[in-house]
Amino acid sequence: QQQVKQSPQSLIVQKGGISIINCAYENTAFDYFPWYQQFPGKGPALLIAIRPDVSEKKEGRFTISFNKSAKQFSLHIMDSQPGDSATYFCAASGARNTDKLIFGTGTRLQVFP
Amino acid sequence: ETGVTQSPTHLIKTRGQQVTLRCSSQSGHNTVSWYQQALGQGPQFIFQYYREEENGRGNFPPRFSGLQFPNYSSELNVNALELDDSALYLCASSLSNGNEQFFGPGTRLTVL
């Protein structure tokens, strides 16, 4: 019940295309859903986050879509660029600010010119 | 504004030894969480410190311990190192009234 399942494991997209990464969760107590971007040898960087009271949040080329009834959320990267090539992690945590982040297994995105 | 910093960057130890990793939280952040990230995996929560006390712990044995200091910086100590402890250790800081956690660059620990 604490798991966050992420797919696909890897993704290859052409420059200018749309990258879509999906996550699913079981624990209905989760209340905060961030996405992190991680480059090799670096720590994860917070990209964008959403709470269950909205179905979509957009920041620049990055959009989170959230389906509360299906317990699923996804990251869409529009106009993907080679610089977006990284590993992306979805995560979830409870309503309390002290709750731990539960991470998905990661998606390695490669964007080719 | 200074981000989260960690030291050292890399560390090589042998099995059975002890190690201390350090973290300075982002300016103004009073809560520090530690995560272990094995190669090719997502980060796994070790524990969190708030007001110099442990405030939640993941599924890690007692040989993983920590401290938080009055300036909110933190240490992660691992005793009796095992080969499986080889990983990237990440520190994340946050505000006590917010969910956003900001990660440092990590310490790469190799246990031989």
Side-chain angles (χ1 to χ4, degrees):
Chain A
Q1 204 180 25
Q2 286 292 318
Q3 280 187 322
V4 176
K5 295 182 180 179
Q6 184 172 347
S7 64
Q9 188 174 356
S10 63
L11 184 59
I12 299 174
V13 172
Q14 201 143 22
K15 179 182 175 182
I18 302 174
S19 304
I20 302 174
I21 305 170
N22 301 298
C23 283
Y25 64 97
E26 290 294 324
N27 189 344
T28 55
F30 287 151
D31 192 59
Y32 172 72
F33 303 88
W35 284 90
Y36 284 85
Q37 178 190 58
Q38 187 175 30
F39 293 103
K42 305 292 185 183
L46 180 62
L47 259 182
I48 186 173
I50 198 168
R51 294 192 182 275
D53 53 347
V54 296
S55 60
E56 186 175 284
K57 183 175 181 180
K58 183 176 180 179
E59 287 185 4
R61 297 185 293 110
F62 301 92
T63 300
I64 299 179
S65 296
F66 189 85
N67 186 330
K68 187 174 181 178
S69 60
K71 292 186 283 187
Q72 295 175 347
F73 59 110
S74 59
L75 175 69
H76 296 234
I77 306 174
M78 313 300 287
D79 187 26
S80 298
Q81 299 295 313
D84 296 331
S85 297
T87 300
Y88 293 80
F89 292 95
C90 63
S93 70
R96 297 185 314 158
N97 54 286
T98 53
D99 281 349
K100 62 185 177 184
L101 285 171
I102 308 294
F103 282 84
T105 49
T107 296
R108 186 183 175 200
L109 171 65
Q110 294 175 276
V111 182
F112 285 97
Chain B
E1 184 179 278
T2 307
V4 179
T5 60
Q6 293 186 242
S7 62
T9 306
H10 296 89
L11 205 51
I12 299 175
K13 292 285 188 178
T14 56
R15 195 170 47 182
Q17 286 188 310
Q18 177 266 341
V19 68
T20 297
L21 311 181
R22 295 177 176 82
C23 169
S24 291
S25 60
Q26 185 167 315
S27 178
H29 286 186
N30 56 12
T31 301
V32 173
S33 302
W34 286 91
Y35 292 80
Q36 181 196 66
Q37 185 177 24
L39 203 60
Q41 302 292 318
Q44 299 287 318
F45 176 75
I46 302 174
F47 44 55
Q48 183 183 84
Y49 277 83
Y50 172 63
R51 290 187 175 180
E52 302 176 48
E53 292 189 359
E54 189 178 288
N55 186 42
R57 188 178 185 91
N59 189 26
F60 281 82
R63 58 190 186 84
F64 285 78
S65 63
L67 285 172
Q68 187 181 32
F69 300 99
N71 66 352
Y72 307 135
S73 66
S74 178
E75 286 182 355
L76 164 65
N77 299 289
V78 187
N79 293 323
L81 284 167
E82 301 177 359
L83 297 179
D84 284 348
D85 294 334
S86 295
L88 181 68
Y89 287 85
L90 296 162
C91 165
S93 74
S94 56
L95 291 169
S96 59
N97 62 352
N99 283 98
E100 292 181 336
Q101 294 189 25
F102 297 91
F103 284 83
T107 294
R108 172 70 62 186
L109 172 64
T110 302
V111 182
L112 303 176

